[in-house]
Amino acid sequence: VPARLDPSSIRNKAKRTKVYSKLKAAKKKEKQDRRASNKRAAEHAAALGEELPKKKPRTIENTRIDDPTFVKADDLEVFGDEATDEFAQIFSNTETPKIMITTRPRPSKELFKFISDLMQLIPKAYYYPRKGFDVKKICSFASSKNFTHLVVLGEKAKTCNGMLVSRLPEGPTAFFKVSNVQLGCDIEHHGSKTSHCPEILLNNFHTRLGRRVGRFLGSLFPHDPDFTGRQAVTFHNQRDYIFVRHHRYIFDEVESQEEPKASKKTKSAPEKTKERVKARLQELGPRFTLKLRWLQQGSFDTLYGEYEWIHRRGEMDT
């Protein structure tokens, strides 16, 4: 709206109301004209036996500005780097991930419920109490016990609000803000996890940084899924928020009946039944959201560690 027609810039209430009414009427007429034009175009296409192309709805993702760091399907440089990165052995099934989970000093009882769900979510995850040791010593201890990852959970107001993940023994290390935590027992109609290894789904990790973070999270799990368990763990990246979900997919055979057709000799033809397969999901839990705060090269080191990426509040928030 031009400055001279912006109602908020008019101090006189009567005049401001009048200008606002005119603008509202003009927008309404413009909308009516657009609908009438679309209707005429549809009628013209129907008369010619054609179909109008369907308009794509405007979403946050398809209106996002193209990022030059998006990885293309033929980017051999990126795929070459990933073939020799810190997670390559896990993705190629030559190394089995083994996870150590610990907490901040003096955790609350509520945090242990989330730890229990995490241990059911991640195969070969083991809890070790913190006992006042600093993170560097815990990294050294975990490496000596052949753990591949260290996960340190933080909390605020008896709710998990942070997750430090370190690839052992040489890194990298990442810190995620944790929010919207919901335990499996609190999810309506939730199921129970079995011992089968789940499938891992990494969605919308398209940039160089996104692919690295996606591979980091994917390296927590073995990449030899047992499909008989029909379990899937999803990391869905949406506007730099990573939504974590755990589901079991179920296939149901549904019989559909056709309507009876009229016949010349008989009043109605016999009904036919068709069997079709319908898929549905049962959430197992837990569910939570991650947001990357920083990514550091090497193992955890707050003094001399070199950061690959740091989130800058306000400047990077969209």
Side-chain angles (χ1 to χ4, degrees):
V1 178
R4 60 187 181 86
L5 294 179
D6 186 6
S8 61
S9 63
I10 301 174
R11 300 181 65 180
N12 185 281
K13 183 177 180 180
K15 189 173 182 181
R16 182 172 64 246
T17 304
K18 184 178 180 181
V19 172
Y20 175 75
S21 300
K22 288 183 178 180
L23 288 175
K24 192 174 181 180
K27 287 182 179 180
K28 185 176 180 180
K29 186 177 184 305
E30 182 182 354
K31 188 175 182 180
Q32 290 175 346
D33 293 343
R34 186 168 61 251
R35 285 184 175 180
S37 177
N38 293 339
K39 185 178 180 181
R40 288 193 299 269
E43 292 175 351
H44 180 69
L48 298 176
E50 300 176 353
E51 292 186 2
L52 287 176
K54 294 183 178 180
K55 294 183 178 180
K56 293 183 179 180
R58 288 174 56 87
T59 62
I60 293 177
E61 286 302 318
N62 64 25
T63 55
R64 191 174 188 175
I65 300 174
D66 290 338
D67 193 330
T69 63
F70 270 38
V71 177
K72 298 180 180 179
D74 57 349
D75 196 331
L76 300 180
E77 180 183 355
V78 175
F79 298 137
D81 292 341
E82 292 178 352
T84 58
D85 66 3
E86 301 90 338
F87 320 113
Q89 292 184 350
I90 295 177
F91 276 82
S92 61
N93 289 323
T94 58
E95 183 181 10
T96 303
K98 184 180 177 184
I99 317 301
M100 175 187 284
I101 299 177
T102 188
T103 64
R104 70 166 193 174
R106 298 181 299 278
S108 68
K109 293 182 180 180
E110 296 297 322
L111 187 59
F112 287 98
K113 297 179 181 178
F114 182 59
I115 293 172
S116 178
D117 274 12
L118 275 184
M119 293 174 67
Q120 293 183 2
L121 174 71
I122 305 173
K124 293 192 175 183
Y126 305 90
Y127 169 72
Y128 281 70
R130 180 72 176 263
K131 292 185 177 180
F133 295 101
D134 59 33
V135 177
K136 285 187 177 182
K137 290 184 178 179
I138 297 175
C139 288
S140 300
F141 172 78
S143 298
S144 66
K145 296 295 183 181
N146 297 323
F147 283 95
T148 61
H149 295 76
L150 172 66
V151 177
V152 183
L153 301 177
E155 67 173 336
K156 183 179 181 181
K158 298 183 179 181
T159 303
C160 181
N161 71 333
M163 180 184 295
L164 177 76
V165 185
S166 182
R167 171 75 165 106
L168 303 175
E170 298 179 354
T173 303
F175 179 75
F176 297 92
K177 178 185 175 184
V178 183
S179 60
N180 302 324
V181 176
Q182 190 169 4
L183 302 177
C185 59
D186 297 331
I187 298 174
E188 190 176 2
H189 306 302
H190 69 90
S192 299
K193 183 187 180 302
T194 61
S195 59
H196 300 89
C197 186
E199 303 170 51
I200 308 301
L201 305 177
L202 304 173
N203 296 335
N204 288 345
F205 293 93
H206 298 314
T207 64
R208 290 291 297 264
L209 176 64
R211 289 182 67 91
R212 184 155 176 79
V213 173
R215 286 175 64 82
F216 198 166
L217 295 173
S219 68
L220 295 170
F221 297 82
H223 288 266
D224 186 20
D226 189 349
F227 294 102
T228 57
R230 306 189 311 278
Q231 295 178 160
V233 176
T234 304
F235 294 93
H236 180 76
N237 181 31
Q238 187 81 19
R239 303 292 284 180
D240 300 331
Y241 285 91
I242 303 171
F243 300 93
V244 184
R245 298 292 184 269
H246 187 199
H247 291 95
R248 177 185 292 114
Y249 52 90
I250 303 172
F251 297 109
D252 295 330
E253 291 186 357
V254 182
E255 292 186 354
S256 60
Q257 295 183 352
E258 292 184 351
E259 296 182 358
K261 298 179 181 179
S263 176
K264 294 182 179 179
K265 297 182 179 180
T266 59
K267 292 183 179 179
S268 61
E271 294 182 354
K272 297 181 181 179
T273 59
K274 290 184 178 181
E275 290 187 357
R276 59 187 180 90
V277 178
K278 184 179 180 181
R280 59 188 178 90
L281 294 175
Q282 181 184 33
E283 191 165 0
L284 307 180
R287 62 167 70 164
F288 54 96
T289 305
L290 301 174
K291 186 174 178 62
L292 181 66
R293 288 304 187 191
W294 50 260
L295 180 64
Q296 184 184 76
Q297 292 181 0
S299 59
F300 178 77
D301 190 347
T302 55
L303 293 178
Y304 306 105
E306 183 178 350
Y307 290 89
E308 297 184 29
W309 184 86
I310 299 177
H311 176 265
R312 296 181 178 85
R313 294 187 180 182
E315 181 181 342
M316 292 183 175
D317 293 328
T318 57

